Structure formats: structure tokens, C-alpha cells
């Protein structure tokens, strides 16, 4: 079992930055892939970025490439999402997710991930 706890959301103006954190607790040894998803009101949940926890390969949605960076601190069992040059269309609830077992495909499917955080709200005003 793994528990994921996100933090770092908030309200910023367009062009600003935020860093989201996701602390993992419990049996983290077999986590192969972690990711950030987001869901805006009235829209489906979408994958924002994923990372292979062992090798560090990263994948990004086209809408965030060059602006967002996913990273991890294995010593702290913490996943990060650095978000720069934020746009109003980035407004959403952001979720951290973890997957046991091999595989970290792109685009990711929500069903691929068995563990989810509670979400943290990001609001970007114009």
C-alpha cells in the first residue's frame, strides 16, 4: 500500500510559477512509474507528465512541454512538478499517481495507476 499526499497548489497570475510536491508513504519500493494528472471542471482527467522512477525517463503533454518539469527525490520519496509560465488554461485540480509494475506509457491512462493523492488545486488568473 502507498499513500500519496500532494501539496503546493494555490492561486497565481498568468506567467507565474508554482511547484507541486507529492510525498509517498508506505511500500514505495515497487513503484515503477509516477505521474501528474489534472482535471478541470467539466473536462476529463488528463495526463500532464510522467516519470520512470528508476531510470528517470520523463514524458510530457504537448500543452506543458517547455513549461513544466517533473522530477523526483528518491531519498525523500517525493515527486515534484515545477510549473512555470502558467496560463489560465492550466487551472485544474492536480493529482499525483503511482503505478506498481513495469510500464510507463504515454499518453498515460488513469487506469494504469493504482494509487492516487487527494489532489491540489491550481488556479491561474489572467
Amino acid at each position: 500500500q502507498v499513500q500519496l499526499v500532494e501539496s503546493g497548489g494555490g492561486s497565481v497570475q498568468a506567467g507565474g510559477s508554482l511547484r507541486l510536491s507529492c510525498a509517498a508513504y508506505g511500500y514505495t519500493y515497487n513503484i515503477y512509474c509516477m505521474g501528474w494528472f489534472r482535471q478541470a471542471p467539466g473536462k476529463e482527467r488528463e495526463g500532464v507528465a510522467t516519470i520512470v522512477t528508476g531510470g528517470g525517463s520523463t514524458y510530457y503533454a504537448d500543452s506543458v512541454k517547455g513549461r513544466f518539469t517533473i522530477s523526483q527525490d528518491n531519498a525523500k520519496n517525493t515527486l515534484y512538478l515545477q510549473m512555470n509560465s502558467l496560463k489560465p488554461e492550466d487551472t485544474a485540480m492536480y493529482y499525483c499517481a503511482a503505478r506498481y509494475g513495469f510500464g510507463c506509457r504515454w499518453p498515460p491512462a488513469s487506469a494504469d495507476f493504482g494509487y492516487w493523492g487527494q489532489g491540489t488545486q491550481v488556479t491561474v488568473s489572467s
Side-chain angles (χ1 to χ4, degrees):
Q1 282 279 23
V2 172
Q3 284 186 314
L4 304 174
V5 180
E6 299 109 330
S7 61
S11 297
V12 295
Q13 290 191 326
S17 298
L18 285 172
R19 188 176 80 156
L20 306 183
S21 299
C22 172
Y25 301 95
Y27 195 75
T28 62
Y29 299 105
N30 282 353
I31 293 177
Y32 183 85
C33 178
M34 294 193 74
W36 289 98
F37 290 74
R38 67 186 180 186
Q39 187 167 20
K43 294 189 176 181
E44 292 188 355
R45 186 173 297 185
E46 63 173 350
V48 175
T50 58
I51 185 167
V52 177
T53 56
S57 296
T58 58
Y59 307 90
Y60 295 93
D62 287 342
S63 59
V64 306
K65 278 181 183 175
R67 301 188 299 121
F68 290 12
T69 303
I70 188 171
S71 63
Q72 59 187 357
D73 184 333
N74 290 329
K76 296 182 179 180
N77 287 330
T78 300
L79 180 74
Y80 301 100
L81 184 68
Q82 178 67 43
M83 305 185 294
N84 298 328
S85 301
L86 283 160
K87 303 176 181 180
E89 51 263 44
D90 294 318
T91 295
M93 185 71 80
Y94 284 71
Y95 298 91
C96 167
R99 168 183 168 79
Y100 282 165
F102 184 76
C104 201
R105 62 176 172 171
W106 188 269
S110 295
D112 291 344
F113 294 80
Y115 299 95
W116 293 84
Q118 81 285 357
T120 186
Q121 179 68 38
V122 171
T123 302
V124 184
S125 58
S126 57

